[in-house]
Amino acid sequence: MLRRSLLGAATAALALTVIAGLGLVGCGSPRMAALHANCTTKGLKWKLTVLHKAPHSTHREARLSVVNKSDRPCVFGGYPLFEVHVGKGPEADGAGRGTASPIDLRGGGTVTTALRYKDSDGAAGPASTATSPGCIVSNDEAIVAAPHDHEGGRRPIVARDEAGRRTPLDVCDDTIWMSPPAEVAK
């Protein structure tokens, strides 16, 4: 009889430990990310918003928003691929600033990344574009891909202003700086 009650107590203690551990880890934590597959470019909905320019600034801010279209969570593990180019000509690439932690992105969840790039240059040169003198790249589309899905998942997306109108990205440098991706709270 004593043996059964010790076995029952041990089972109850083990069950409470597992439940408490799951409560501490949570479904959206990096520890749970190891249980899910990486996000794929085609499984995500992409949006690029060019923000209003600050007066007298030579830089522009933009926001890249990514939504998990699936019902299942996936791991958004790092910086996305981000490129702006003119055909096979000049190109500006996204580069991360800071450490990007993996995000266990729930189904329907959103991740955002802030972008910052130089968009005006006082001196017009041979590489300048029609919309912004001195800039090397001007396009209203960018190429994106999920982290670790660069080869098979590249997708063009249209740049839009805050009112939803199509707008060009005039990039006057070869680098577009990206902040670490962050999940948007529910």
Side-chain angles (χ1 to χ4, degrees):
M1 188 65 134
L2 181 62
R3 188 173 177 183
R4 282 188 197 166
S5 57
L6 285 177
L7 182 61
T11 304
L14 180 61
L16 286 173
T17 304
V18 168
I19 290 169
L22 288 175
L24 289 175
V25 171
C27 291
S29 75
R31 289 185 181 185
M32 289 301 288
L35 302 175
H36 301 127
N38 285 332
C39 296
T40 61
T41 304
K42 68 180 182 177
L44 302 170
K45 180 180 176 188
W46 300 82
K47 181 179 176 184
L48 176 59
T49 306
V50 178
L51 305 176
H52 291 293
K53 184 175 179 176
H56 310 292
S57 176
T58 59
H59 288 83
R60 189 63 134 339
E61 306 283 331
R63 182 177 48 247
L64 181 63
S65 302
V66 184
V67 177
N68 181 359
K69 296 188 298 187
S70 172
D71 293 337
R72 286 182 250 142
C74 63
V75 178
F76 197 86
Y79 287 99
L81 173 116
F82 187 84
E83 300 173 348
V84 179
H85 46 83
V86 182
K88 294 184 181 191
E91 179 176 318
D93 297 322
R97 276 199 167 156
T99 303
S101 299
I103 297 171
D104 189 30
L105 187 59
R106 69 191 188 302
T110 303
V111 169
T112 61
T113 301
L115 307 172
R116 181 177 170 87
Y117 58 94
K118 186 175 179 184
D119 83 332
S120 65
D121 192 347
S128 66
T129 63
T131 57
S132 184
C135 291
I136 59 171
V137 178
S138 182
N139 197 344
D140 61 357
E141 284 189 352
I143 303 296
V144 294
H148 313 294
D149 191 22
H150 302 307
E151 294 305 316
R154 298 165 62 99
R155 168 172 290 177
I157 59 170
V158 174
R160 301 203 179 270
D161 63 15
E162 292 177 276
R165 294 180 300 258
R166 201 171 183 136
T167 189
L169 291 151
D170 295 324
V171 185
C172 299
D173 200 356
D174 60 355
T175 304
I176 299 167
W177 294 106
M178 302 184 334
S179 68
E183 187 170 15
V184 176
K186 290 181 184 179

